[in-house]
Amino acid sequence: MNTHTEWAVEADGLVKTFGSNRAVDGVDLRVATGTVYGVLGPNGAGKTTTISMLATLLRPDAGSARIFGHDVQREAQVVRQLIGVTGQYASVDEGLSATENLVLFSRLLGLGRREAKIKANDLLEEFGLTEAASRPLKKFSGGMRRRLDLAASLISQPPLIFLDEPTTGLDPRTRAQMWETIRRLVAGGSTVLLTTQYLDEADQLADRIAVIDRGRVVAEGTGDELKAQVGSSSLELRLGEPQLAQRALGIAERVLGVAGTTSAEAARITVPLSDPERVTDLLIELRGEGIRLEEFSVHKPSLDDVFLSITGKPTEDAETPEGAHA
Amino acid sequence: MSTTTAPRSRTHNASGGTIVPAHERTLRNRVSLGESIRHSLTMAYRGLLKIRRTPEQLFDVTLQPIIFTVMFTYIFGGAISGDVASYLPVIIPGILVQTVITTSVVTGTQLREDMDQGVFDRFRSLPIARIAPLSGALLADTVRYAIATTLTFVMGFIMGYRPHGGIWSVIGAALLVIVCAWAISWIFAFFGVIARSASSVQGISMIILFPLTFLSNAFVPVDTMPTWLQWFVNINPVSHLVTSVRDVLNTGAFTSEAFLPLIGAAVIVAIFAPLTVRAYMRRA
């Protein structure tokens, strides 16, 4: 496609400070037009703050950002004509019905009374909300709210859509529906920038992923590139005698070829696992050394593991949402 | 692909259809005055929808004029003017101004509550006039002032008040009070934007409002007050508004004095509207 600006988003050295807290501390991003870009990070990493600056909701303290070549500060109003923002918390009017919300936003975006009505009905139908159209929003489920919120972001059919944690708190089925919707958006030519706490989600949806921690991008690449850094999964062993942890770790490193870590109470060790075949070797080796196992499990890589391998320390307050104990 | 530029021309299949690429769109970095007014009116429509959904929030503007008008008239009427009937031309304009201005405080508290909602983030992300979410809310609140005004006049009428100026003077006075209250509500809207919580807005506003409405000529003749107080009462803008409303109602004449409050109102809007919008834009 012949695009004038290849980049939907260009951010250079974005900084935002709240008091003494540098929420965003020099973030650079490049999002190509027509792609899905995932920003992955734990709570408080600066994801929402970054999006707020890109969406003209917050003024950066330093650095600059352009949306399709338009500066977010100097041409804020132009940028607003090119973006749709769906927040972490449904940002529709709680006091109005679904239809009233969509009509309101349509009218604000320049549609006539009749057009707005048609638009609202179309969107409600598309997002499966027709039956709930006149119900008070207080009676909406989390998934319905997100859908309405997303519908409201799509009224002007913006070429760039920001989705701030679109599936946090949704049940698996609703999450799958949301993923489907996001894929549909991209098929229509939109560029999507989404934030998430789930590696799995970023991996499923995003063409490229930036891992963000304490306001900085600590890793960037495709999902495969990131996972290559982490190992596809990890092996977790709980030992009968914690004092043998260091020895077990040594054996694991010898057999699997990578360094593992021990947990604080040292009864548990975690090792990246690139080749499941080798687990058998390790288990035999451990038994030969007389190291008794209480429990063993295989972990799919979580955000925690990504952080562990990239930053060398676990996330401070990361919930492990996909607690994938095998 | 067609060369349509305005998003409105594609009404169907919002999320599945082809998106007009950024560089094919007509984009403007300014909002015209006409658009600002249209956005404000749409926002006012939102305010009206909310009032219709939760009519209980109109309790204060319905009960206060009824209770206060009856209470003040019968308590002070005999003492101040000799009897209730001759107090009515004094108290009705006074209580009208006091009630409607007090009502305008609610604008600030409601704005604060409203702004705590996520929807304001969406408003700020839309290519609309920055002032619209605020001016719309303030505009919708004129409905509240109209209700309070109507009820005060109705109570006055029931108690026997017959303005000299006739129905046109009543309408004129009502408009004067509503326009001034709308202007004053920008002050409380400013508090609403900068304050942390709705209750603190209420607190600050009442501290300002109480002396302003009571240290005026709204309820008692100024010459009964000590000289130092008369000085304040005479410069108090609320006194001027009350005097104007009385003149209009009781003589039926729009004198130049009647336009003084309108000039004051314009000044307040000129100062507080930009201040409020700026504070609103700055807030995260």
Side-chain angles (χ1 to χ4, degrees):
Chain A
M1 204 164 55
N2 170 30
T3 44
H4 289 205
T5 9
E6 174 184 2
W7 301 118
V9 178
E10 300 163 87
D12 294 303
L14 284 181
V15 173
K16 186 73 198 178
T17 318
F18 298 114
S20 60
N21 170 31
R22 280 172 92 82
V24 173
D25 192 8
V27 162
D28 302 315
L29 286 179
R30 286 287 180 280
V31 178
T33 302
T35 63
V36 181
Y37 197 91
V39 174
L40 177 67
N43 278 335
K47 303 189 297 287
T48 302
T49 311
T50 303
I51 282 207
S52 297
M53 286 189 281
L54 295 175
T56 76
L57 297 175
L58 269 183
R59 189 173 280 273
D61 292 333
S64 66
R66 284 168 307 287
I67 304 295
F68 296 109
H70 300 282
D71 189 276
V72 293
Q73 292 191 69
R74 278 197 309 277
E75 296 173 273
Q77 205 67 349
V78 166
V79 169
R80 292 182 191 121
Q81 289 162 61
L82 296 170
I83 59 170
V85 188
T86 297
Q88 204 161 345
Y89 306 101
S91 52
V92 283
D93 199 320
E94 306 273 326
L96 306 181
S97 74
T99 310
E100 285 166 346
N101 263 296
L102 293 177
V103 169
L104 170 71
F105 295 124
S106 301
R107 298 278 290 148
L108 287 173
L109 289 165
L111 270 66
R113 212 178 286 270
R114 239 180 62 83
E115 291 170 299
K117 195 89 193 153
I118 294 170
K119 185 78 171 181
N121 286 334
D122 283 357
L123 282 167
L124 288 171
E125 199 177 309
E126 210 183 321
F127 285 85
L129 292 168
T130 309
E131 277 169 45
S134 54
R135 226 188 285 166
L137 283 197
K138 289 177 189 76
K139 297 201 176 124
F140 269 40
S141 68
M144 287 161 80
R145 250 168 224 249
R146 293 296 168 89
R147 293 208 302 273
L148 177 61
D149 199 22
L150 187 54
S153 309
L154 300 179
I155 291 168
S156 66
Q157 291 174 288
L160 173 62
I161 298 156
F162 293 107
L163 300 174
D164 193 9
E165 305 207 0
T167 64
T168 301
L170 295 186
D171 60 70
R173 206 179 113 249
T174 323
R175 172 174 300 175
Q177 284 174 354
M178 191 56 101
W179 287 1
E180 210 39 62
T181 309
I182 295 169
R183 290 197 181 101
R184 211 149 36 95
L185 287 175
V186 187
S190 296
T191 308
V192 174
L193 193 156
L194 64 90
T195 70
T196 181
Q197 301 185 28
Y198 313 135
L199 178 62
D200 180 35
E201 180 163 286
D203 192 29
Q204 286 270 349
L205 293 171
D207 299 300
R208 291 188 77 81
I209 300 168
V211 181
I212 183 166
D213 181 37
R214 289 159 218 259
R216 288 177 165 280
V217 176
V218 291
E220 208 263 355
T222 64
D224 287 339
E225 285 167 7
L226 286 179
K227 275 192 297 186
Q229 283 191 45
V230 187
S232 53
S233 39
S234 63
L235 181 66
E236 197 178 286
L237 304 171
R238 203 149 69 83
L239 305 179
E241 296 124 294
Q243 63 274 22
L244 297 177
Q246 284 308 322
R247 252 181 70 205
L249 211 56
I251 297 166
E253 187 166 355
R254 203 175 68 234
V255 176
L256 299 177
V258 279
T261 48
T262 56
S263 65
E265 67 276 29
R268 199 180 317 199
I269 68 174
T270 309
V271 197
L273 184 65
S274 43
D275 182 5
E277 289 281 311
R278 309 273 281 274
V279 175
T280 328
D281 300 341
L282 176 61
L283 294 179
I284 293 169
E285 191 81 10
L286 287 174
R287 184 199 271 173
E289 293 280 333
I291 296 172
R292 204 163 49 78
L293 295 181
E294 291 263 290
E295 191 183 303
F296 104 83
S297 57
V298 176
H299 254 297
K300 284 200 285 183
S302 67
L303 179 58
D304 235 351
D305 301 318
V306 175
F307 272 87
L308 200 59
S309 77
I310 292 170
T311 65
K313 55 185 185 294
T315 58
E316 265 167 17
D317 58 349
E319 311 133 284
T320 28
E322 329 284 64
H325 278 269
Chain B
M1 183 184 290
S2 69
T3 50
T4 35
T5 46
R8 74 179 73 168
S9 56
R10 298 168 179 247
T11 32
H12 289 284
N13 196 9
S15 61
T18 334
I19 301 291
V20 181
H23 66 270
E24 286 180 21
R25 297 181 176 224
T26 320
L27 303 164
R28 280 181 311 129
N29 203 24
R30 308 186 67 99
V31 182
S32 71
L33 182 65
E35 283 175 309
S36 303
I37 292 172
R38 211 170 43 75
H39 295 154
S40 301
L41 290 176
T42 306
M43 284 296 185
Y45 163 75
R46 163 181 181 261
L48 293 183
L49 279 179
K50 286 175 96 79
I51 292 178
R52 210 188 61 191
R53 291 244 152 188
T54 47
E56 59 270 23
Q57 59 165 297
L58 292 178
F59 269 159
D60 60 334
V61 295
T62 41
L63 291 181
Q64 196 187 327
I66 296 173
I67 295 169
F68 275 31
T69 311
V70 173
M71 218 169 64
F72 278 83
T73 308
Y74 289 111
I75 292 174
F76 297 135
I80 292 168
S81 302
D83 58 74
V84 167
S86 40
Y87 187 48
L88 282 170
V90 178
I91 184 70
I92 294 296
I95 206 117
L96 175 67
V97 169
Q98 192 241 7
T99 304
V100 177
I101 291 180
T102 311
T103 304
S104 71
V105 171
V106 180
T107 300
T109 54
Q110 280 189 348
L111 196 61
R112 175 71 270 150
E113 281 170 5
D114 212 12
M115 281 179 64
D116 290 335
Q117 276 196 54
V119 71
F120 262 75
D121 270 346
R122 184 181 296 284
F123 290 152
R124 292 178 345 128
S125 78
L126 293 177
I128 57 170
R130 300 293 94 189
I131 197 177
L134 302 171
S135 56
L138 267 57
L139 224 47
D141 271 349
T142 53
V143 169
R144 308 166 57 85
Y145 312 150
I147 293 172
T149 304
T150 310
L151 286 175
T152 308
F153 276 126
V154 167
M155 288 314 293
F157 191 82
I158 291 172
M159 288 187 292
Y161 179 48
R162 302 289 181 272
H164 253 301
I167 183 71
W168 288 110
S169 76
V170 171
I171 292 170
L175 286 177
L176 183 63
V177 172
I178 291 170
V179 168
C180 290
W182 179 78
I184 292 168
S185 72
W186 276 104
I187 302 177
F188 302 119
F190 177 65
F191 293 144
V193 173
I194 60 170
R196 239 178 255 274
S197 68
S199 57
S200 62
V201 180
Q202 178 87 13
I204 310 169
S205 305
M206 280 306 167
I207 285 171
I208 294 174
L209 205 65
F210 241 71
L212 270 180
T213 50
F214 279 94
L215 300 183
S216 76
N217 60 358
F219 306 105
V220 290
V222 183
D223 49 32
T224 60
M225 301 177 192
T227 328
W228 58 268
L229 191 56
Q230 283 188 26
W231 170 82
F232 178 78
V233 169
N234 284 329
I235 60 158
N236 184 352
V238 173
S239 300
H240 287 281
L241 180 57
V242 171
T243 306
S244 300
V245 173
R246 269 185 201 140
D247 282 355
V248 171
L249 285 174
N250 299 334
T251 69
F254 270 93
T255 54
S256 56
E257 172 80 0
F259 289 98
L260 205 61
L262 288 178
I263 294 168
V267 171
I268 291 175
V269 176
I271 295 171
F272 278 90
L275 269 181
T276 312
V277 173
R278 250 188 48 188
Y280 160 64
M281 285 310 296
R282 251 200 228 141
R283 248 191 111 90

